[in-house]
Amino acid sequence: VLPQSHHKGSILGAILALLAAVAYAWQAHAIGQMSGRHKPMESMAAQFAGSAVLLSPVAVTGAEVTRGGHHLAALLYIALVATAFAYTLFAIGVPLVGPHTAVSLSLIEPVVAAAIAALALNQALTTIQIVGMAVTLGALFALGTGNDISQVSSQSPNTEA
């Protein structure tokens, strides 16, 4: 997909990334739907319980990540802090700003991750990464300053007799 990635896995990776994006969008939509009927913690508990059931075959098959104390500690950190806590905050935010805005704002996450990697871990950013960061920030800025189409289309036209 990228000019420098002519590996067989790059097409599969792109397909999997697209499927992940669809799943993420569906999750945000589901949170938006559930937020009218349930509290954020209840919504997230239901979604994570479903996810745990779907991922349980990985734990049963003895994936490498569950072996050893340091792997388990990392897994618990990822599960509790980077996932459960972060998504709970996301679930609280969705009813406040709406699913479309929440998902749009979450698109800044890879920009922040790349910036932290560059600044804190001294990782060099490639030109394509910098361009991607700029495009993402530009798109988010455009979304934030654009007109709300739903408000424009709901206004009645000026008619003079």
Side-chain angles (χ1 to χ4, degrees), residues 62-131:
E64 289 293 322
V65 74
T66 60
R67 296 183 185 166
H70 65 284
H71 289 130
L72 189 56
L75 180 64
L76 286 173
Y77 170 79
I78 291 169
L80 296 175
V81 177
T83 305
F85 181 67
Y87 274 99
T88 298
L89 293 176
F90 185 75
I92 292 168
V94 167
L96 297 174
V97 299
H100 299 101
T101 301
V103 169
S104 296
L105 289 173
S106 69
L107 295 175
I108 201 164
E109 184 269 332
V111 174
V112 172
I116 290 172
L119 297 173
L121 303 175
N122 293 323
Q123 291 188 357
L125 295 174
T126 65
T127 303
I128 193 85
Q129 289 170 321
I130 294 169
V131 169

Side-chain angles (χ1 to χ4, degrees), residues 12-26:
L12 176 61
I15 291 169
L16 292 173
L18 181 61
L19 290 173
V22 169
Y24 182 71
W26 175 82

Side-chain angles (χ1 to χ4, degrees), residues 124-153:
L125 295 174
T126 65
T127 303
I128 193 85
Q129 289 170 321
I130 294 169
V131 169
M133 291 168 73
V135 168
T136 301
L137 291 173
L140 288 172
F141 179 77
L143 282 171
T145 59
N147 291 330
D148 184 358
I149 295 173
S150 65
Q151 289 179 355
V152 173
S153 63

